[in-house]
Amino acid sequence: MTESAGQPPCPTPTLPAHPLRIATAQAQAVAGDIEANVVTVAAMIREAAAAGARLVVFPEKFLSGYEPELIRADPRRHAVQPRDPRLAPVAAACRETGTVAVVGAAFHEDGDLYVSAFVIGADGEHVTRYDKQHLFPTETPIYRAGTAGRTLELDGWRLGLGICYDSGFPEHARAAALDGCHAYVVGALFSVGNGYQESRTWFPARARENTCYTVLSNHIGTTGGWHTCGSSAVWGPDGCALAEAGPDRQELVVVDLDPEVLLAARKAAPMPGNGTGGSGDTAVRPAEPSP
């Protein structure tokens, strides 16, 4: 598994050689209780692995709950570091099942707080961290914005990471697509009402305009004062929904990302930079499987 900062654009867009089974998870976070939420994450990683998933995605700041005031009041307790010993059960679940996890958490460094996604590799080691670049207005007094995108490569698939409000900015997913990404993977908090409508507008649009898969992991229940809407989902590269969780129960959505479907979508709707034509494109060719 490799990662890049999402810059510069990938010079030779390729397609993966084989499908990738992914799982997007939703559950109720316990406010401020990282140890309890880690237990949930580890259990859901094992559940996803039993269903054959190679990658599991969790909601925004799931390890603490969304909870901005708790995090600001005591960042050492409610934010985490990449090799935080409290994450040991997550690392063990990844290592024992050979599964990769993208887990939402607050991160603190040199007195600054970030809204982050931590990637734990199939060997249980920390791979990388993505920091949210587009902060929601209520987040700006507390958190610093990230300064770079993040692209992961897993089994020949390039996966661009986003967090919640990032997905509302077309240029964010487009940067991932120009970096050769086949999927745009987002942990989020969308609420009942307007948040649900936003997610059902933004994610199909990001999929369709970039001819890539889009993946959403959302909270259920109440966290940080928000009544969330669940409904974690995956959209195909044509913008059509492939699978969706319910609004209010702990659940995994497991979907196979298929390179043949990706190729068909890109032939049907060529976009500059996705390898199927247009200015400066290279021809799409199958990638060699990763070791």
Side-chain angles (χ1 to χ4, degrees):
M1 182 179 189
T2 60
E3 60 91 10
S4 73
Q7 296 172 343
C10 181
T12 55
T14 62
L15 284 182
H18 303 288
L20 177 69
R21 181 164 294 180
I22 61 97
T24 179
Q26 60 181 41
Q28 173 68 66
V30 181
D33 194 336
I34 289 177
E35 291 82 359
N37 295 325
V38 159
V39 169
T40 299
V41 169
M44 296 190 82
I45 289 170
R46 290 188 166 90
E47 182 184 352
R54 281 279 285 141
L55 175 76
V56 194
V57 186
F58 290 89
E60 178 180 21
K61 287 194 291 182
F62 183 78
L63 290 184
S64 60
Y66 185 76
E67 310 301 339
E69 295 307 322
L70 278 179
I71 294 165
R72 175 160 58 179
D74 193 347
R76 292 192 177 276
R77 179 178 178 184
H78 299 304
V80 299
Q81 296 295 308
R83 293 169 180 83
D84 194 309
R86 293 174 293 179
L87 301 183
V90 175
C94 290
R95 183 171 57 252
E96 291 164 14
T97 62
T99 307
V100 177
V102 180
V103 185
F107 167 71
H108 66 93
E109 182 177 57
D110 299 329
D112 292 324
L113 281 166
Y114 298 84
V115 180
S116 303
F118 288 81
V119 181
I120 311 299
D123 59 358
E125 295 297 319
H126 172 78
V127 175
T128 192
R129 185 189 86 246
Y130 166 70
D131 299 327
K132 186 176 185 178
Q133 292 178 278
H134 296 281
L135 297 174
F136 197 66
T138 56
E139 295 171 337
T140 56
I142 302 173
Y143 302 102
R144 293 183 66 87
T147 58
R150 191 68 64 196
T151 294
L152 305 178
E153 187 168 346
L154 176 63
D155 298 347
W157 286 81
R158 291 180 67 81
L159 312 169
L161 298 183
I163 299 175
C164 200
Y165 203 41
D166 284 332
S167 62
F169 295 80
E171 61 272 22
H172 191 266
R174 189 62 181 154
L178 290 173
D179 195 44
C181 286
H182 310 109
Y184 181 56
V185 176
V186 177
L189 186 159
F190 285 102
S191 61
V192 170
N194 190 54
Y196 180 83
Q197 188 271 340
E198 285 176 343
S199 69
R200 268 54 200 173
T201 301
W202 295 348
F203 281 83
R206 300 299 85 85
R208 180 73 178 178
E209 67 202 11
N210 295 301
T211 52
C212 69
Y213 286 93
T214 55
V215 179
L216 166 65
S217 171
N218 193 28
H219 287 266
I220 59 170
T222 300
T223 184
W226 295 92
H227 183 196
T228 67
C229 64
S231 305
S232 301
V234 180
W235 289 262
D238 59 358
C240 294
L242 299 178
E244 179 177 315
D248 55 8
R249 66 179 182 273
Q250 181 169 316
E251 191 172 351
L252 286 170
V253 172
V254 181
V255 171
D256 287 335
L257 310 187
D258 189 331
E260 295 300 324
V261 172
L262 194 63
L263 177 60
R266 292 183 172 190
K267 283 184 174 179
M271 296 290 179
N274 73 2
T276 55
S279 176
D281 282 353
T282 59
V284 172
R285 54 185 174 83
E288 293 297 320
S290 295

